Amino acid sequence: QQQVKQSPQSLIVQKGGISIINCAYENTAFDYFPWYQQFPGKGPALLIAIRPDVSEKKEGRFTISFNKSAKQFSLHIMDSQPGDSATYFCAAAQGGSEKLVFGKGTKLTVNP
Amino acid sequence: KAGVTQTPRYLIKTRGQQVTLSCSPISGHRSVSWYQQTPGQGLQFLFEYFSETQRNKGNFPGRFSGRQFSNSRSEMNVSTLELGDSALYLCASSPRTSGANTGELFFGEGSRLTVL
C-alpha cells in the first residue's frame, strides 16, 4: 500500500518557469513532510520540510504548500534553473521516528 | 565535517551469497537509518538504529538484518541473495538525540549491489 502518492512522474520546464510537484498522503498520523532532491550518483539531500501546523514554508526559490484537510502538499520551484534538474522526492514521517515514507519521485528537467 | 560514508560503493554478488554493507555516520550523529532504492519500488525504509538499538524495521524479509556499534557505525547484512535484491542501498544519519524525529536525514552516496 503506497502511503504517499507523488505526481507527476516527470516534468519538463523552461528556464525561469515554475515547477510544481504534488503529493498526497493517507496516514493522518504523519506529522512531518520533507522534500528531498537527488542528483544522479548521489544520495538524496534534504531540500525543505514542513510540519502540519503551518500551511506554507518558503526557503529561497523553494516553497512547500500544505493542505491538511485535503491531505496534500506540494513543492513549488520558482525561477527554475537548469541546475535544478534532478529527481525530487516527497516524504512523510510520524512523530518519534526517522522512518520516512517516500513518494515515487519526480524527474525534473529544466531546459535552458 | 565529513559526510556519511558507505562502503563498498559497488559490488557484484551471485544468488545465494550474502553481503555486508557498512556505514559511517556523520561525526556526532547517533541515529542511522537504511533505505533500499530501486527503479520500481523507489525508496523503501529498511531499519532505524539509535544508540545501538533498533527502533524501527521496515517490511522486508528476515534475510535483511542490521546492527549498530557503540561508535554509531552501522552495518546491514543480506543473506541468501536473490536477483530482486539488486538495488542501491542508502544509509542516512541524523542529529537526533532522543524523542521526536528531527526529520533531517543526511544520506550517503549508497552501495550499489548487483545480484547475478
Side-chain angles (χ1 to χ4, degrees), chain A residues 31-32 34 36 38 41-46 51 89 93-104, chain B residues 9 31 33 35 37 40-41 43 45 48 55-56 90 94 96 99-105 107-109:
Chain A
D31 62 358
Y32 179 74
Y36 281 79
Q38 186 176 28
K42 302 292 185 181
L46 179 65
R51 295 194 184 268
F89 295 92
Q94 233 170 291
S97 171
E98 301 283 23
K99 172 184 176 180
L100 294 180
V101 179
F102 283 90
K104 288 290 183 75
Chain B
R9 290 291 315 281
S31 177
S33 304
Y35 288 79
Q37 186 173 25
Q41 298 300 315
L43 283 152
F45 172 80
E48 174 193 351
R55 296 183 63 106
N56 236 316
L90 291 160
S94 161
R96 171 186 186 163
N101 57 357
T102 65
E104 189 172 12
L105 297 185
F107 283 87
E109 295 190 333

Side-chain angles (χ1 to χ4, degrees), chain A residues 27-95:
Chain A
N27 186 349
T28 55
F30 288 146
D31 62 358
Y32 179 74
F33 303 89
W35 285 87
Y36 281 79
Q37 178 189 56
Q38 186 176 28
F39 293 103
K42 302 292 185 181
L46 179 65
L47 195 60
I48 187 173
I50 197 168
R51 295 194 184 268
D53 52 345
V54 296
S55 59
E56 186 175 282
K57 183 175 181 180
K58 184 177 181 181
E59 289 184 2
R61 296 184 294 108
F62 301 90
T63 300
I64 298 180
S65 297
F66 185 81
N67 186 328
K68 189 174 181 178
S69 61
K71 294 188 284 186
Q72 295 175 347
F73 58 111
S74 60
L75 175 70
H76 294 231
I77 306 174
M78 311 299 288
D79 187 27
S80 298
Q81 299 297 311
D84 296 331
S85 297
T87 300
Y88 292 81
F89 295 92
C90 62
Q94 233 170 291

Side-chain angles (χ1 to χ4, degrees), chain B residues 29-42:
Chain B
H29 288 191
R30 291 158 60 191
S31 177
V32 172
S33 304
W34 288 89
Y35 288 79
Q36 181 195 64
Q37 186 173 25
T38 60
Q41 298 300 315

Side-chain angles (χ1 to χ4, degrees), chain A residues 12-26:
Chain A
I12 300 174
V13 174
Q14 291 299 118
K15 178 182 175 182
I18 302 174
S19 304
I20 301 175
I21 305 171
N22 300 299
C23 285
Y25 62 98
E26 299 164 5

